[in-house]
């Protein structure tokens, strides 16, 4: 079986080409050097810098959402190992670690689309929901709480990617979304199974998809 990393990075780099993301760049053109001996003083205006526009902003949102998922899973693995949640079954820890590693690769694949288009990669987890999701992890008191968090995280990631997929004009971004959304669904179904719930159980409100306004950069 091909590694997940090869599949994801192949989608990010191979499908992008010179797609619509590059066309969305908002970088201003470089001004030609002045040739007059006494050029007039330039007029300066201050405007808010918007690093991502069009498809780029949706891609950046997906990158940040995957990065937050990876970070939450990393924290969940640490919580499972520090003893405060009691005895955490190995299958749960393995699931959390594996899902987190895949979300790290997903974030890298989204960022590859941005950097290939000449835009900066998303760093950190710049989302309005970050503090709430981390607080939910901090409230975990049993192994089942970690799995419940995972159900919501995967619903949030999968729903966000699916919603953005319908809006992409760049074929590389659309193809990557189609590749990654089923992985989030698989993770969510696995977490539900480990909880003993139906795999199609409805997540809590914390699992709602994120809109573009959730991105803070």
């Amino acid at each position: 079986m091909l590694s997940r990393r090869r599949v994801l990075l192949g989608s990010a780099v191979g499908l992008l080409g010179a797609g619509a993301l590059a066309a969305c760049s908002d970088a201003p053109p470089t001004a030609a050097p002045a040739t007059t001996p006494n050029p007039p003083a330039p007029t300066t205006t201050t405007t808010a810098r918007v690093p991502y526009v069009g498809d780029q902003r949706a891609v950046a949102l997906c990158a940040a959402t995957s990065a937050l998922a990876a970070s939450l899973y990393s924290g969940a693995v640490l919580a499972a190992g520090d003893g405060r949640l009691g005895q955490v079954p190995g299958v749960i820890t393995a699931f959390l670690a594996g899902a987190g590693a895949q979300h790290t690769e997903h974030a890298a694949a989204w960022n590859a689309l941005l950097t290939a288009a000449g835009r900066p990669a998303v760093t950190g987890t710049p989302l309005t929901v970050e503090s709430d999701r981390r607080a939910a992890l901090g409230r975990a008191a049993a192994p089942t709480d970690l799995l419940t968090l995972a159900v919501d995280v995967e619903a949030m990631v999968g729903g966000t990617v699916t919603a953005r997929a319908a809006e992409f004009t760049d074929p590389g971004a659309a193809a990557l979304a189609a590749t990654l959304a089923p992985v989030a669904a698989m993770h969510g179904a696995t977490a539900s199974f480990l909880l003993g719930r139906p795999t199609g159980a409805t997540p809590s409100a914390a699992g709602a998809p994120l809109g573009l306004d959730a991105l803070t950069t």
Side-chain angles (χ1 to χ4, degrees):
M1 180 179 295
L2 290 175
S3 72
R4 175 65 56 182
R5 183 179 298 275
R6 244 191 305 171
V7 171
L8 298 184
L9 296 185
S11 296
V13 178
L15 291 172
L16 177 65
L21 287 179
C24 292
S25 175
D26 59 355
T30 303
T35 58
T36 57
N38 296 299
T43 300
T44 59
T45 58
T46 301
T47 57
R49 179 175 180 268
V50 181
Y52 308 111
V53 295
D55 276 5
Q56 296 171 1
R57 189 156 186 81
V59 169
L61 173 65
C62 291
T65 305
S66 290
L68 178 58
S71 179
L72 291 171
Y73 277 122
S74 178
V77 171
L78 290 176
D82 67 10
R84 68 183 177 86
L85 303 183
Q87 185 66 35
V88 179
V91 65
I92 294 180
T93 303
F95 163 71
L96 296 171
Q102 288 189 321
H103 281 297
T104 297
E105 294 182 349
H106 297 180
W110 288 117
N111 275 326
L113 291 177
L114 293 172
T115 57
R119 307 305 294 151
V122 174
T123 57
T125 53
L127 295 168
T128 58
V129 300
E130 177 184 9
S131 60
D132 287 342
R133 300 300 180 268
R134 294 194 188 283
L137 174 60
R139 291 192 295 270
T144 52
D145 293 334
L146 299 180
L147 292 173
T148 299
L149 176 70
V151 170
D152 289 339
V153 166
E154 297 301 341
M156 177 185 70
V157 173
T160 299
V161 171
T162 300
R164 301 286 75 79
E167 303 169 355
F168 285 131
T169 59
D170 179 76
L176 185 58
T179 301
L180 301 189
V183 179
M186 176 188 69
H187 290 165
T190 301
S192 293
F193 175 79
L194 292 173
L195 278 168
R197 299 180 184 175
T199 55
T202 303
S204 74
L210 303 182
L212 293 176
D213 58 348
L215 188 67
T216 60
T217 186

